[in-house]
Each structure stands twice: as structure tokens, then as C-alpha cells.
Amino acid sequence: MKIIINTSLMVPIYEQVVDQIKTLIRNGVLKENDNLPSVRTLSKELKISALTVKKAYDLLESEGFTITVHGKGTYVAATNTELLLEEQKKELEADLEQAIQKGRRCGISDEDIRDLFELILEG
Amino acid sequence: MKIIINTSLMVPIYEQVVDQIKTLIRNGVLKENDNLPSVRTLSKELKISALTVKKAYDLLESEGFTITVHGKGTYVAATNTELLLEEQKKELEADLEQAIQKGRRCGISDEDIRDLFELILEG
Amino acid sequence: MKIIINTSLMVPIYEQVVDQIKTLIRNGVLKENDNLPSVRTLSKELKISALTVKKAYDLLESEGFTITVHGKGTYVAATNTELLLEEQKKELEADLEQAIQKGRRCGISDEDIRDLFELILEG
Amino acid sequence: MKIIINTSLMVPIYEQVVDQIKTLIRNGVLKENDNLPSVRTLSKELKISALTVKKAYDLLESEGFTITVHGKGTYVAATNTELLLEEQKKELEADLEQAIQKGRRCGISDEDIRDLFELILEG
DNA sequence: GTGGTCTAGACCACT
DNA sequence: GTGGTCTAGACCACG
């Protein structure tokens, strides 16, 4: 369970937790019926509030990735990893599209946008 | 002064205003010493809150693109348009980098990221 | 916006808020595009935490009953009140079924269960 | 001692145990001075935590249905089965009342509530 | 003014 | 031990 929190990022902590747990599930690091760390344990480990962890777990459950049993813990649900990958790609697509549109609004040419992109990807 | 606001976008309104005014300056549509429309005029024109326009103007001034004279109005400052382009590219670079890093955090391959990017740029 | 909170009930406060706002929407007291009271306003009015109100509003939004605009407020979404009524009936059905099953587990006859039910409904 | 645990139900396990033991007592399957299975035995049999069984036994004792003798076991106390039935009916009454009130809060008519009730009872 | 996030700590219910 | 709820108050971003 290597989860890395970057508070300097402008991405909410709970979202970072959700994203990374989804990835752990997709990559098979977390498998069906595996027990996620308890809310308190993870909050201590990541040095964040227990409520923040809980919010992440709530989101994961509402999206069907985990199942929470009162008094017992949170478990990985049966998932279609293929479907999960597609979903994450959709998110990336939205982010990239937003960046590209912003660049265009600023009058930057597609050429320049592509050059920048390649520079970052290979950098 | 053709500024287009898209509230359905997930980009803050004030940022859309700032971006587009910067571009107008860079493209020479707005030249040194030109008078920007008053906060009230622009807010009515764009049908947005005057506070939002004020925030955009404040940002432009704090970045040195405009000069506000109390009781007179807001004027375009002397600018190096080359420098401005570079700055806007830096912003785009930051956005792209963030998207790419998020994709990588999700375990999406650079190949796939590039494919998605090209799809959007050419779509 | 008459919302009544009963803390002695074993129903979470946020759920009581959600239920009653749903009902206000269904009954037409709250109509499409109406502005819900702000999180802070309602929290003061009901004398509960702002976070609790926010949780209720988040739930309403996730179920599609409201739309939240950052910096502006929370608005009633377009809804099918017929559908909403059906949904609420489903919930009631589940509650009643659970009560009946519990009574049967205790060995109480259906006769007695019905008698009790009628007593309460008409009492 | 046929006790059936249904974890998919939204009723706490300990409550299911309590309810069913009460019913066994009321129906005469368990009689005065009968020895209940030990906490460990029952927990193995039902495949639940010993702590959960302990909680159920504690509740039964606190309500006067059993007597626990340290180092010996748990025994059925002298009970008035009539009284017990009344008590269980009170519980059912409370559950039904809560469901009905919730339905009414949602604006569902008494007619509809009764229809739903009959549908379930006879279904 | 609005909503969005986070904290630290409390109390309760379930296992 | 676990999760579930709630509080009071903080800071940030948006209009």
C-alpha cells in the first residue's frame, strides 16, 4: 500500500487516495476481498485526517470498487480491471483536452502545443 | 474586445477573462496605453459579476500587463509580447505535465497517453 | 423550507435533511432552478454543523436532485417527480419488509403483525 | 438451537442472536434452567466472533432472560412467556411506527402505505 | 457572499 | 479493534 500524498498539488488529498487505490486495484496489487487498511491506520500512515481517508473510502464504495462492513473493515469488491482502465483513460482524456483548449484560447499553435507535450513526456 | 465566456467549462470565469485579454495584448489587438473597458461595462457585456471582472483586472495588473489609474481607468502597459507568449507556454506546460503525471500515477503507459493526446489534438 | 431535525431518532441528521428536501422537491415546494439555502445558512437555521448540511447536499447532488455551482450556490435540478415518488416508496417497502421479517423471526403471527400495523396507522 | 445468521441483512448479528434465543425461550424449546451453549461453542457453530455472542448473552442477561454463573455457563431464567411476547410486540410496534412515520415524512399517503404493507405481508 | 477541503477530536454502534 | 456520525473552526477558491 504505497500511497503518496502531495499536498502542494492542487488535487484534493482524498482524490489522490482514491486514484491511487483504484490503480492498486487495477494493477492487481489489491485483489478481490483484500482488506484495505483501516481508516485510522491509513490516516496515521499518511499523516492526514481520518475523515479525509473516510471520504476517499466512501467514494470508492459509491463507485463500486470496495465494500465496507460495519465493525469489520473495507474490502476490495469484484471488479472488471479492463473497465477501470477505460474509465481512468477517460479522465486523462478530459484533462488533456482541457489543457489543449486553454492553450488554443491563448493563441498557441497546435505545433507548439505538441512540441511542449513531447518535451514533457520524454523529459 | 471579443471575449467569450463559457460557464460550462470547468475553468474559472476570471481566468478565462485574464487569458483572453493577455492573448488580445499579445496579438496586438490591444496596444500599449489602450483603455480597457471599465469593470462595470465589461461585466454587463459579459453578463458576469463586476467582482469577477475586477479580479481579472487585478490579476492582469499584478502581473504587469495593465496599469490602473484611479478615477480614470485601466490601460495596457508596455509589454514584451515575446515574453508573454513564453509565459503562456509555461502555463500550458504546467497543465500538460500535471495531466501526464496523473495518467502515469494511474499506470497508463506513455504510449497510450501520447495516443490520447494526438487523438484530441487532431480530432 | 421547513425542515425538522429529530436528534433522538436513530436516523442520521444528514439523512433526515436529504429525505425532507427530496420531499419538498417532489411536492413542488422546491422547483427547478430554485436556490437551496446556503450550507452555512441552513446549518445555523437547523443548529447543526455546516459539514452535516454539506454532506446532505453532496448526497442530493450525487443522486441528481440538485446542481451545485462553486461560489454561487446549490440549485434544484430538473426532476421527474413521479420517479422520485416511486423511489421513496421502494425505501418504505424495504423498511416495512425488514420490520415484518423481524416480527416473523420472533414468531409473531401475521395476524398480530397486521393488527399492530393498523393500530399504529389509525392511532 | 437452530439459529440462523444472515449477514446480508441490515440487522446486527448480535440482535439476530438475541431475537432468536428469545423466541426459542418463548416457544418452550429452551426451558427454565436449560444450559445455553458456551460463548465459544456457539461462536464456532455460527461462525461469528465470540465477542458478538458474548454481547448477545450480556443483553439477554441484562433483560432477565438468562442467568450467567461464572465458570459454569449461562442458564435460562424463569420467565413469563406471555410477558415476553408482549415485549417483542412492543419492539415490532416501534419498528413499524418508525417506518410509517418516515413514509409520512416523505408525503406518502396512508392508503399507499397500507397497500405496500399488505403487498409485502401476503407476497 | 458562496462552496470545497481539511483538521482534531468526540461519541456511538458493531465485531 | 472496526466503521458511522457529528462538531467547531480553519483556510482556500470562486463570484
Side-chain angles (χ1 to χ4, degrees):
Chain A
M1 284 291 302
K2 291 174 193 167
I3 290 181
I4 298 167
I5 298 301
N6 185 342
T7 53
S8 71
L9 232 59
M10 283 231 317
V11 182
I13 295 176
Y14 73 84
E15 199 176 317
Q16 296 183 40
V17 174
V18 167
D19 282 349
Q20 293 183 51
I21 291 184
K22 278 187 192 173
T23 302
L24 290 172
I25 294 175
R26 218 196 66 235
N27 293 342
V29 179
L30 287 173
K31 293 169 192 168
E32 195 176 336
N33 291 326
D34 274 7
N35 200 338
L36 289 186
S38 83
V39 169
R40 288 173 177 82
T41 303
L42 190 54
S43 75
K44 277 173 195 159
E45 197 178 318
L46 303 182
K47 292 173 186 168
I48 60 179
S49 162
L51 256 193
T52 305
V53 176
K54 178 157 194 311
K55 183 166 186 178
Y57 279 19
D58 280 351
L59 269 174
L60 284 167
E61 184 169 26
S62 78
E63 296 184 42
F65 295 111
T66 59
I67 293 171
T68 297
V69 183
H70 193 136
K72 293 200 72 178
T74 301
Y75 301 85
V76 177
T79 54
N80 183 338
T81 61
E82 279 299 314
L83 212 72
L84 182 44
L85 177 60
E86 285 313 308
E87 194 185 290
Q88 289 183 326
K89 278 189 184 171
K90 289 279 179 207
E91 268 187 51
L92 172 60
E93 194 178 334
D95 288 353
L96 286 174
E97 185 160 13
Q98 193 170 314
I100 289 173
Q101 285 179 348
K102 185 174 167 186
R104 284 172 173 165
R105 267 205 315 277
C106 290
I108 299 174
S109 73
D110 282 12
E111 284 281 302
D112 287 356
I113 294 177
R114 179 182 285 109
D115 287 350
L116 268 174
F117 176 81
E118 290 297 337
L119 208 72
I120 299 164
L121 202 64
E122 290 168 11
Chain B
M1 285 290 299
K2 292 173 192 166
I3 291 180
I4 298 166
I5 299 301
N6 185 342
T7 53
S8 72
L9 234 58
M10 285 255 309
V11 182
I13 295 174
Y14 77 87
E15 197 176 320
Q16 297 184 39
V17 174
V18 167
D19 283 350
Q20 293 184 51
I21 291 183
K22 278 187 191 175
T23 303
L24 291 172
I25 295 175
R26 219 193 65 235
N27 293 342
V29 179
L30 286 173
K31 294 168 191 166
E32 194 176 338
N33 294 324
D34 274 5
N35 197 339
L36 289 185
S38 80
V39 168
R40 285 178 191 166
T41 304
L42 189 55
S43 74
K44 277 174 193 162
E45 197 179 316
L46 303 181
K47 292 174 185 168
I48 60 179
S49 162
L51 275 181
T52 305
V53 177
K54 175 88 171 40
K55 181 164 188 176
Y57 279 20
D58 284 351
L59 265 176
L60 285 167
E61 184 167 23
S62 78
E63 296 185 44
F65 296 112
T66 59
I67 295 172
T68 297
V69 182
H70 190 95
K72 292 199 64 178
T74 301
Y75 300 87
V76 177
T79 54
N80 181 335
T81 60
E82 276 302 314
L83 213 71
L84 182 44
L85 177 60
E86 286 313 309
E87 192 186 291
Q88 288 184 324
K89 280 188 183 171
K90 288 282 180 208
E91 267 188 50
L92 172 59
E93 194 178 333
D95 288 353
L96 286 174
E97 184 160 12
Q98 192 168 316
I100 290 172
Q101 284 180 350
K102 186 175 167 185
R104 283 174 172 163
R105 268 205 313 275
C106 291
I108 299 174
S109 73
D110 283 11
E111 286 278 306
D112 287 356
I113 295 178
R114 178 181 285 110
D115 287 351
L116 269 174
F117 176 82
E118 291 296 337
L119 208 72
I120 300 165
L121 201 64
E122 291 168 10
Chain C
M1 285 292 301
K2 291 175 193 167
I3 290 180
I4 298 166
I5 299 301
N6 185 342
T7 53
S8 71
L9 233 59
M10 283 233 318
V11 183
I13 295 176
Y14 73 83
E15 198 174 318
Q16 296 184 39
V17 174
V18 167
D19 282 350
Q20 292 184 51
I21 291 183
K22 277 187 191 172
T23 303
L24 290 172
I25 293 176
R26 218 195 66 234
N27 293 342
V29 180
L30 286 173
K31 293 168 193 168
E32 194 176 337
N33 293 324
D34 275 6
N35 199 339
L36 290 186
S38 82
V39 169
R40 289 173 175 82
T41 303
L42 190 55
S43 76
K44 277 173 195 160
E45 198 178 316
L46 302 181
K47 292 175 186 168
I48 60 179
S49 161
L51 257 193
T52 304
V53 176
K54 179 156 193 313
K55 183 164 187 179
Y57 279 19
D58 281 352
L59 269 174
L60 284 167
E61 184 169 25
S62 79
E63 295 185 44
F65 295 112
T66 59
I67 293 172
T68 298
V69 182
H70 192 137
K72 293 200 70 177
T74 301
Y75 302 86
V76 176
T79 54
N80 184 336
T81 60
E82 278 300 314
L83 212 72
L84 182 44
L85 177 59
E86 285 314 308
E87 194 185 289
Q88 289 183 325
K89 278 189 185 171
K90 289 280 179 208
E91 269 187 51
L92 173 59
E93 194 178 332
D95 288 353
L96 285 175
E97 184 159 13
Q98 192 170 312
I100 290 173
Q101 284 179 350
K102 185 174 166 186
R104 285 173 173 164
R105 266 204 315 278
C106 291
I108 300 174
S109 73
D110 282 11
E111 284 281 301
D112 287 355
I113 294 177
R114 179 182 284 111
D115 287 350
L116 269 175
F117 175 83
E118 291 296 337
L119 207 72
I120 300 165
L121 201 64
E122 291 168 11
Chain D
M1 284 291 299
K2 290 175 194 169
I3 290 181
I4 298 166
I5 299 301
N6 185 342
T7 53
S8 71
L9 232 61
M10 286 256 307
V11 182
I13 296 174
Y14 76 86
E15 196 175 321
Q16 296 183 39
V17 174
V18 168
D19 283 349
Q20 293 183 50
I21 291 183
K22 280 186 189 172
T23 303
L24 290 172
I25 294 175
R26 218 193 66 233
N27 293 342
V29 179
L30 287 173
K31 294 168 191 167
E32 194 174 338
N33 293 324
D34 274 5
N35 198 340
L36 289 185
S38 79
V39 169
R40 285 178 192 168
T41 303
L42 189 56
S43 74
K44 277 175 194 161
E45 195 177 318
L46 303 181
K47 292 175 185 167
I48 60 179
S49 163
L51 275 182
T52 304
V53 177
K54 175 88 170 41
K55 180 163 188 177
Y57 279 19
D58 283 352
L59 266 174
L60 284 166
E61 183 167 24
S62 77
E63 296 184 43
F65 296 111
T66 59
I67 294 171
T68 297
V69 182
H70 190 96
K72 292 198 65 179
T74 301
Y75 300 87
V76 177
T79 55
N80 182 334
T81 61
E82 276 301 313
L83 213 70
L84 182 43
L85 176 60
E86 285 313 309
E87 192 185 292
Q88 287 184 325
K89 279 188 184 173
K90 287 283 181 206
E91 267 187 52
L92 172 60
E93 193 178 336
D95 288 353
L96 285 175
E97 184 159 13
Q98 191 169 316
I100 289 172
Q101 284 179 349
K102 186 175 168 185
R104 284 173 172 164
R105 269 205 312 276
C106 290
I108 299 174
S109 74
D110 283 12
E111 287 277 306
D112 287 355
I113 296 178
R114 179 181 284 111
D115 287 349
L116 270 174
F117 175 83
E118 291 296 337
L119 208 71
I120 300 165
L121 202 64
E122 291 169 11

